[in-house]
Amino acid sequence: MPEVDAVQSRIEQVTVFASGARIRRVATVKAPLPNRVRIVDLPLAVIDDTVRAAVTGGAIATAIRAGLTTPAGGGASEETPDLRAARVRQEIAKSEVQRLELSLDRLVHAKVMVEDPSEEAPAAWGAVLAARRALVSFRAERQLALRQQQAAAKHELEEAQRALDVASERDHRSGTSRAAKAHEQRKHVELDLTAQEGAGDVTIHIEYQVAAARWAPNYVARLEGEGARFELRAVVAQNSGEDWTGVALQLSTAEPDQFAVLPELHPQKIGRRQAEPAKRGFRAPPAGAETLYADYKLRFPDQGSTRSGMVVGSGYPVGPADVALGAPPSGEVWDEDSSRSKDAYEEQSADMPYPPSAMPVAAKSMARGGKGGGLAGAIAGGIAGAAAAPFMLAQQAVSKRRSAPEGSAAANMRPEPAPSTPTPRLDYGNLRMQGPESAQRGLLVPAPPPDDTGASHRVAEAIAVILRLPLPPGHHASWVHTYDYAFASDGTVDVKSDGAWQSLALTARAGTAKIHHVAVPREQDDVFRVATITNPFDGPLLPGPIDVYDRGQFLLTSEVDSTPPGGSVDVGLGVDPLIKIARNAEFHEEVAGMLRGALKLFHTITVDVENLSPRAIDLEVRERVPVTREGDDDIKVKLAKIDPAWERWTPDADTPQHARLRGTYRWRVEVAPRAKKQLRAGYEVEIAGKNELVGGNRREP
């Protein structure tokens, strides 16, 4: 049975987030099953911590690892076949031109006459002249033939150079995904398989995340009378180093990686009251851990170190030198000098993302003057080292203030704030227990990082290309995470790894669209068409542009706001030239009151609508009447006859200046085809006869 088997895989599904993507690959392993399977030729952009695997068939995976490999030189191609053929053609044409130029140069500068070294008598002058003429004629013919060949060779060179440019441009536009070069590295994933008896072929699914990917939504609405076809599209950009060819694509609104802390639930018991459990904190390491290596030290006295480590009950490494210096197996471990450090530690331990059990050991070691091995063990363990650095600086500042005389500058100085260095998370997957022959035996030490020979730098550059990529006009890549949803494509799609936006059609649904007209004749003598489209998808509509087509003709590009499933979207379709509207106003004043001390200002508004289209329309006409300030009894506004009746209208809360719009009403009427309709409204303003409204008593233009 083979020990390790290298297999190829193909991309099956891709889920793109607002930042990043999750790739799902599938591979088949033939029987007999090996003990270890290596899935090769993965891109460098793979985030190792996100690799997951599932095995279907007669085997289970017991371990999974991600690593770097350098492909063999024979299996790696420096260039694509088309580009390599074009380059060879260009080099051949260039060498041919150089050969012909050299031949012409030799022919032109060749001597026609040379001295005869023989002692024979010269030939007759006629024979010499004929020979010279034949030689000159031959050189002219040869020169003419070489120049013709040179012209053809230069033409071939131009064609070869043009073909090379085209192949290079095609190769550049094809994306960054290609076979690794001989000196480049690729990622791989290894799985340890445990096969069942009689197991046959198995299928392996692996998932991993990449960071160099983004997407933004856009839409298309195709109106056909009362029906509408709503299309969901998107622009996707990725620079992961591999092309997504023939994959099922999902576009998710969720965050790919979000840290969350689960709440700690306290048990609820029915019965007698019990004492509250002790708070979780530092536990002293068990005594006698050094004796675990006693037999080894007797057998190999020159190997290892007396500072052997151990793993306490919580799983964090500490130094046994702290145990040897008198730390009791249980109870209080803080001495008099470190009591203040304990208080300082407890104040900040609630906000620290590192384990609390490592900090008291470090503080106690520093209180002893740095003679203990607890801090060294914690740093070597790679778990509390970065977290202990701010604590060390604070402890040193406290020690300086204690040792300084009273009244000195050192005693009054405030401790300098610790540098804000990022604290890494506890990466348990990369911790390795050191062997007994190591100076750090018994400690959990981070595995040394592999030599990626610049791979991480190339991945960072690819991510930077995506992050710097500006969105197309009108697109939005940020939305409210009220709930998360994934939009799936109806079929398979291709997305090149070129770091540029690519427009994709995902899915389409049939919906309903109701066309109505809106007019505000007080402000503008135009009637606008508005389509109210119901969201036909099971998920929400995110903010983005929408292209509107009416019976196959493009109308305009509008905007879509966040819309829940089943909600409606109002899309403006522009001015309808077949609907005419005109607004006229009349005004007159009358004296009123018993003593004729009041003045009534009568306003009459007339709106004439004419429908020139062959279809009936639903028209909404919005109007506004003056309103008084609260508490102002000197002015009264009353509505007069309204024909037909209207209703009060309040603008949406997100409309600009909606809070300032008061006294708004609207007519909602139906206008028959090629018909006219008149709307009338009146109101009166009553003021004292000695007063006059600011700006004039006439309130209508």
Side-chain angles (χ1 to χ4, degrees), residues 9 81 101 116 118 173 176 203 265 281 295 395 400 422 426 444 460 474 506 538 558 633 642 661 682:
S9 61
E101 289 179 351
D116 187 4
S118 63
R173 292 181 178 274
T176 60
T203 302
L265 302 179
D295 295 338
Q395 179 66 18
K400 289 181 180 179
L426 304 181
L444 288 174
L506 294 180
D538 297 332
S558 184
D633 298 333
I642 309 297
L661 293 177

Side-chain angles (χ1 to χ4, degrees), residues 179-397:
K181 297 181 180 180
H183 63 279
E184 291 181 343
Q185 293 178 317
R186 302 290 277 180
K187 286 287 185 71
H188 70 264
V189 173
E190 285 186 354
L191 287 86
D192 293 342
L193 297 181
T194 300
Q196 301 175 359
E197 185 177 357
D201 300 347
V202 297
T203 302
I204 300 177
H205 295 271
I206 64 170
E207 289 186 356
Y208 56 85
Q209 291 184 12
V210 296
R214 295 170 58 191
W215 78 282
N218 58 73
Y219 311 93
V220 175
R222 303 184 185 276
L223 306 179
E224 294 290 343
E226 295 294 329
R229 183 173 178 83
F230 207 93
E231 299 178 5
L232 173 61
R233 304 178 64 89
V235 289
V236 181
Q238 65 106 351
N239 199 22
S240 62
E242 61 179 353
D243 292 339
W244 302 338
T245 305
V247 300
L249 186 66
Q250 288 186 345
L251 303 179
S252 175
T253 64
E255 292 289 345
D257 186 13
Q258 186 175 7
F259 181 76
V261 179
L262 296 178
E264 183 178 355
L265 302 179
H266 298 284
Q268 301 293 332
K269 299 181 180 179
I270 300 176
R272 295 182 179 180
R273 180 179 178 83
Q274 298 180 358
E276 292 291 335
K279 294 184 178 180
R280 300 171 58 185
F282 172 73
R283 291 180 296 173
E290 183 68 17
T291 60
L292 294 175
Y293 297 92
D295 295 338
Y296 185 85
K297 290 169 62 177
L298 292 176
R299 179 66 177 85
F300 306 100
D302 297 334
Q303 297 188 18
S305 174
T306 57
R307 295 184 180 181
S308 58
M310 52 178 291
V311 180
V312 297
S314 58
Y316 303 113
V318 298
D322 293 283
V323 182
L325 289 175
S330 61
E332 184 64 38
V333 298
W334 301 89
D335 53 23
E336 181 180 359
D337 294 335
S338 61
S339 58
R340 298 183 185 179
S341 300
K342 176 184 177 182
D343 297 337
Y345 160 72
E346 290 179 348
E347 290 179 1
Q348 61 180 1
S349 61
D351 300 329
M352 290 184 178
Y354 43 81
S357 59
M359 292 308 302
V361 178
K364 186 176 66 171
S365 302
M366 289 182 289
R368 299 191 184 108
K371 297 180 180 180
L375 179 59
I379 295 177
I383 295 183
F391 189 85
M392 290 172 58
L393 297 178
Q395 179 66 18
Q396 292 173 1

Side-chain angles (χ1 to χ4, degrees), residues 129 155 182 191 249 275 279 320 352 355-356 392 408 420 477 530 539 586 653 694:
L129 183 60
H155 179 72
L191 287 86
L249 186 66
K279 294 184 178 180
M352 290 184 178
M392 290 172 58
S408 62
S420 57
V530 179
E586 299 178 359
V694 177

Side-chain angles (χ1 to χ4, degrees), residues 1 24 52 62 100 172 207 249 259 311 318 334 363 389 409 423 561 568 621 635 638 676 681:
M1 180 180 296
R24 181 179 177 88
R52 302 291 184 268
T62 57
L100 293 174
H172 175 71
E207 289 186 356
L249 186 66
F259 181 76
V311 180
V318 298
W334 301 89
T423 303
D561 294 330
S568 59
V621 180
I635 303 177
K638 299 180 181 179
K676 298 181 180 180

Side-chain angles (χ1 to χ4, degrees), residues 231-234 489-493 503-507:
E231 299 178 5
L232 173 61
R233 304 178 64 89
S489 61
D490 289 340
T492 59
V493 299
S503 181
L504 303 175
L506 294 180
T507 184

